[in-house]
Amino acid sequence: MARQGARAAQAARDLRPRAADEDKRRRGGDNTPGNAVITRTKPQTKKPAMYRVLLLNDDYTPMEFVVLVLERFFNKDREAATRIMLHVHHHGIGECGIYTYEVAETKVTQVMDFARKHQHPLQCVMEKK
């Protein structure tokens, strides 16, 4: 019975609020105030997932329109736009750029809307890098 009483008393001590240096005092440490170091942790941000924006070849969209799309929506100069357009034409697919999800999604939507507005079947997709 005395054992149960000792256990109950120990459990009560463990549950009550304690001062930060109480453990040190209980172990027989000095009674001088301790030095505390307060540190701030910087939140670690991870890099966002990147997505490739791709143009797909078709038999109907004029090459000049594809160059216009690359210049207008992907800020490519004439030479780079022509190089990408030819890659799309010869290989069936070409990378316009690599962006975060939201930016890639916006660019795909803009290109698709612009192509539909000008009655071209140009396809633009995005895929995770």
Side-chain angles (χ1 to χ4, degrees), residues 14-66:
D14 290 343
L15 295 177
R16 68 177 173 79
R18 295 182 287 162
D21 62 346
E22 187 173 330
D23 288 336
K24 187 177 178 182
R25 278 187 279 151
R26 197 177 329 156
R27 286 183 297 220
D30 57 6
N31 289 333
T32 61
N35 292 333
V37 176
I38 298 173
T39 60
R40 283 193 187 165
T41 57
K42 288 187 178 180
Q44 294 294 321
T45 56
K46 63 179 184 178
K47 291 185 178 180
M50 300 303 279
Y51 290 79
R52 299 170 63 204
V53 177
L54 306 168
L55 282 180
L56 306 178
N57 190 34
D58 64 74
D59 294 334
Y60 304 101
T61 305
M63 292 180 177
E64 194 56 41
F65 183 78
V66 175

Side-chain angles (χ1 to χ4, degrees), residues 37-110:
V37 176
I38 298 173
T39 60
R40 283 193 187 165
T41 57
K42 288 187 178 180
Q44 294 294 321
T45 56
K46 63 179 184 178
K47 291 185 178 180
M50 300 303 279
Y51 290 79
R52 299 170 63 204
V53 177
L54 306 168
L55 282 180
L56 306 178
N57 190 34
D58 64 74
D59 294 334
Y60 304 101
T61 305
M63 292 180 177
E64 194 56 41
F65 183 78
V66 175
V67 170
L68 173 67
V69 165
L70 290 164
E71 289 174 339
R72 184 170 185 169
F73 296 106
F74 298 99
N75 299 319
K76 303 294 183 186
D77 59 39
R78 190 78 157 165
E79 184 181 323
T82 303
R83 189 172 51 251
I84 294 169
M85 177 272 300
L86 287 172
H87 188 273
V88 170
H89 182 69
H90 293 296
H91 297 96
I93 193 167
E95 183 179 283
C96 304
I98 301 172
Y99 307 96
T100 60
Y101 179 82
E102 292 81 10
V103 174
E105 186 178 41
T106 301
K107 291 202 180 277
V108 168
T109 303
Q110 288 174 333

